[in-house]
Amino acid sequence: MTDFYIDPTGDPFADVGGIVIKYLREQPPYDGKNILELIEAVAKIYVSHWDGKLHAFFLNSTITQPAFKGQRKIDETVKFYKSLLDETAPSQEGFCRISGRQTKLFAAGRDNHILSGSGTFVNFHHNFDAGLLLSKEILIRMFFVPLGLMQLSDKVAMVTSNYRKVTAFFVTENCKKNLQAVTSGIANGVLKSEFNNPANALFALAHTYINTHLRKLLISGDEDSLFNASNVTLNLYHFTNFGASPEVNLYILGAPIFKFYAFCNRLFVKDGWNKFIRSYYHNSKHKNARYNETEEIWEEKESAIGFEEYQTWRNPVLENLLYDKSILGYILKWTAKHSFPFVIVEKYQTIIRNMEKKTIDKIKQIADFIVQDRPTDFITKSIKRLNGEKNPQGLRQFFIKLVSENYQNNASEPLISVADYADYLFPDGGNWREVRDVLLIAIYEKLHEFDKTVEIPEMEEIEEIETTNFN
């Protein structure tokens, strides 16, 4: 049987509101209440506990209307939604723009719908209608949305996914925390996130879901099942509907990134990944802090800053992952001095950067040729030359020189075949810099493996992408 208050519609806001309604129906003291009673109970939360702070959601609504005070806000809210339920509010017959159902339709403006046009923005709508024309159930869903969201820096954040169960997990967690704050008497508005920027927040949410719902697969070693279960996309809507400046930014943590991040939480690589990723947090207020890789803390003067605190700082590696920029430069800089699981590089290149597995296998073979049974002088010269290569021609010449040396050593097989060269190291549309960087990382990892020490040249500073400064 269809339940128009909670069934999926495809609209993110309507679906989040439906998830909140479903959650409330199952929780005392809200279970057993009809929809109007639920509206009144939630209106009391918004007014009595949140002090009517819904301005980021609704403009001049019955809750945010300055002319209404205290109990009147609740009374006017119940009155409005009762007029929808008994269909005495102005309406017309038609098809709901969200549910697609033919029914009575009501105008949805900025006062009762999130990020909608109304008033001076009627030109957003067909035939200059007063707003989107929606069914009463969809409008009612919108009223419940704030309970399932959180405040992230200066805007509100809503998290959804390509899987409804994943969306439901995050929405119900927020709803649960919002209601707990009400019960504890500490609520003063929508739940505030400990994070200040979308990148950190999204990866923290991904981490929570992975370690809550995929824990058995992380331990089992069944990589295929882990990757199938990790086919998750997270969408973060960072928005405000406040005043004359409504705004929304959409941040997407795609399935390839989620898969890669899930792999990095596997037990056999997690320690190496954590040491690496935690070394790149930084904060403008802690410019003199230094990373203690043994303890995985940041130290500043006499104080130690633990992960619970510094996880809210900016992290260019996470930002590059989120914005589809390469993180190889950061890995290369780290591996020059620290051992790092090369399998993470393999997964990153194949899952996210679309590098052929055969390309990586060939690069590993070349790294073996450069490092194994070689004098440190030869290895140092190879590293310096690779670091200095500024164009694909130089890298090609470097490989040809290795091929020549392999031939002169009477090797039974060529180091690089014509197919290797054309199809995997320098394919059409390939990125020669990534081949060079992966080779350098493989060389460094081999040096750590064989416990060899060579002179490492200074590396260029990594150019960070420009993002909003949330520090």
Side-chain angles (χ1 to χ4, degrees):
M1 181 178 177
T2 301
D3 188 331
F4 295 112
Y5 289 114
I6 66 173
D7 285 351
T9 66
D11 179 89
F13 291 99
D15 287 349
V16 165
I19 292 168
V20 173
I21 292 172
K22 183 177 185 297
Y23 178 76
L24 291 175
R25 284 176 175 177
E26 298 166 353
Q27 306 300 316
Y30 307 102
D31 54 329
K33 294 183 182 293
N34 62 36
I35 193 66
L36 188 61
E37 291 169 335
L38 280 180
I39 290 170
E40 184 173 7
V42 171
K44 288 178 180 177
I45 291 174
Y46 292 161
V47 174
S48 303
H49 296 274
W50 290 11
D51 197 27
K53 296 175 182 176
L54 295 183
H55 301 85
F57 299 93
F58 307 112
L59 178 67
N60 291 330
S61 71
T62 53
I63 299 289
T64 60
Q65 173 60 251
F68 299 159
K69 305 293 182 182
Q71 183 61 38
R72 189 181 175 191
K73 290 178 181 287
I74 299 171
D75 294 341
E76 293 290 339
T77 298
V78 173
K79 178 181 175 182
F80 170 71
Y81 286 103
K82 186 176 186 299
S83 73
L84 293 182
L85 288 165
D86 61 23
E87 299 181 348
T88 57
S91 64
Q92 66 184 66
E93 284 287 333
F95 291 92
C96 173
R97 287 282 295 273
I98 290 178
S99 69
R101 185 166 62 103
Q102 186 172 11
T103 183
K104 284 192 175 181
L105 306 178
F106 305 84
R110 292 183 65 193
D111 59 328
N112 58 13
H113 183 263
I114 301 169
L115 296 176
S116 177
S118 62
T120 57
F121 294 100
V122 294
N123 56 301
F124 280 34
H125 308 296
H126 297 151
N127 302 318
F128 295 100
D129 287 330
L132 289 175
L133 296 177
L134 305 176
S135 66
K136 60 187 178 184
E137 292 90 353
I138 296 298
L139 277 178
I140 287 170
R141 286 180 183 219
M142 297 298 167
F143 179 71
F144 290 88
V145 168
L147 272 181
L149 306 192
M150 61 182 173
Q151 183 79 26
L152 178 63
S153 187
D154 61 338
K155 298 182 182 67
V156 179
M158 179 175 75
V159 178
T160 66
S161 173
N162 53 334
Y163 287 98
R164 182 170 171 80
K165 66 177 182 179
V166 179
T167 302
F169 170 75
F170 291 115
V171 173
T172 54
E173 282 296 304
N174 287 339
C175 192
K176 191 184 304 180
K177 290 175 182 177
N178 275 313
L179 293 177
Q180 286 172 347
V182 169
T183 303
S184 303
I186 59 173
N188 61 359
V190 66
L191 171 72
K192 288 182 173 59
S193 171
E194 60 192 307
F195 298 97
N196 293 318
N197 67 75
N200 292 47
L202 266 175
F203 279 99
L205 292 168
H207 187 272
T208 298
Y209 186 82
I210 288 165
N211 285 277
T212 301
H213 291 272
L214 305 180
R215 177 173 291 276
K216 290 183 179 179
L217 292 175
L218 292 174
I219 298 171
S220 71
D222 184 352
E223 195 165 293
D224 289 340
S225 296
L226 175 63
F227 277 16
N228 288 336
S230 302
N231 196 31
V232 172
T233 293
L234 296 183
N235 311 299
L236 188 148
Y237 296 81
H238 200 213
F239 71 90
T240 179
N241 199 33
F242 185 73
S245 304
E247 179 186 1
V248 60
N249 294 297
L250 176 60
Y251 300 90
I252 300 175
L253 197 157
I257 301 170
F258 195 95
K259 284 177 186 288
F260 170 70
Y261 196 66
F263 177 82
C264 291
N265 279 269
R266 293 282 304 277
L267 293 181
F268 76 104
V269 297
K270 187 175 182 179
D271 185 60
W273 170 258
N274 282 348
K275 282 182 168 24
F276 158 70
I277 197 72
R278 293 178 181 187
S279 72
Y280 279 106
Y281 283 97
H282 65 80
N283 187 297
S284 58
K285 296 177 182 177
H286 299 274
K287 291 181 179 178
N288 297 319
R290 293 293 178 266
Y291 181 60
N292 182 329
E293 60 194 63
T294 303
E295 301 294 330
E296 294 182 28
I297 60 174
W298 283 83
E299 297 172 332
E300 188 174 34
K301 296 180 180 178
E302 301 299 320
S303 63
I305 304 169
F307 180 69
E308 289 300 314
E309 180 177 348
Y310 71 73
Q311 67 171 330
T312 63
W313 298 357
R314 277 193 63 188
N315 190 310
V317 180
L318 297 181
E319 290 176 356
N320 275 35
L321 279 172
L322 182 62
Y323 300 124
D324 196 27
K325 302 292 183 181
S326 177
I327 66 170
L328 275 184
Y330 297 101
I331 296 175
L332 177 57
K333 188 175 181 180
W334 176 258
T335 54
K337 296 180 180 179
H338 307 86
S339 181
F340 184 73
F342 188 78
V343 67
I344 290 179
V345 180
E346 292 187 53
K347 295 300 179 186
Y348 173 70
Q349 287 301 119
T350 54
I351 296 173
I352 296 180
R353 306 298 291 182
N354 297 316
M355 182 176 276
E356 290 278 355
K357 179 66 166 60
K358 289 185 178 180
T359 300
I360 295 174
D361 290 340
K362 179 53 60 176
I363 289 172
K364 287 163 66 177
Q365 184 186 346
I366 295 170
D368 273 335
F369 180 79
I370 293 171
V371 176
Q372 199 164 12
D373 301 323
R374 293 286 184 165
T376 56
D377 183 57
F378 176 82
I379 301 170
T380 300
K381 287 180 178 178
S382 297
I383 292 173
K384 284 183 176 179
R385 176 162 180 180
L386 285 169
N387 267 313
E389 296 300 356
K390 303 298 183 185
N391 55 63
Q393 288 77 18
L395 185 61
R396 289 190 180 101
Q397 289 172 1
F398 175 76
F399 283 151
I400 291 170
K401 184 178 179 182
L402 294 181
V403 169
S404 175
E405 183 170 335
N406 179 68
Y407 175 76
Q408 290 170 5
N409 290 339
N410 297 317
S412 59
E413 294 182 1
L415 178 64
I416 302 172
S417 69
V418 173
D420 293 334
Y421 184 90
D423 296 338
Y424 301 114
L425 294 176
F426 298 99
D428 290 341
N431 188 328
W432 72 270
R433 289 185 179 86
E434 291 197 347
V435 172
R436 179 198 63 188
D437 289 351
V438 173
L439 176 56
L440 278 167
I441 293 168
I443 290 171
Y444 289 140
E445 193 54 35
K446 286 294 176 184
L447 288 172
H448 292 301
E449 181 183 330
F450 296 137
D451 198 23
K452 286 188 175 183
T453 302
V454 299
E455 182 185 344
I456 303 295
E458 285 294 320
M459 291 190 216
E460 297 178 1
E461 284 298 313
I462 303 167
E463 184 177 348
E464 293 188 17
I465 57 174
E466 293 185 9
T467 61
T468 302
N469 187 354
F470 290 95
N471 283 347

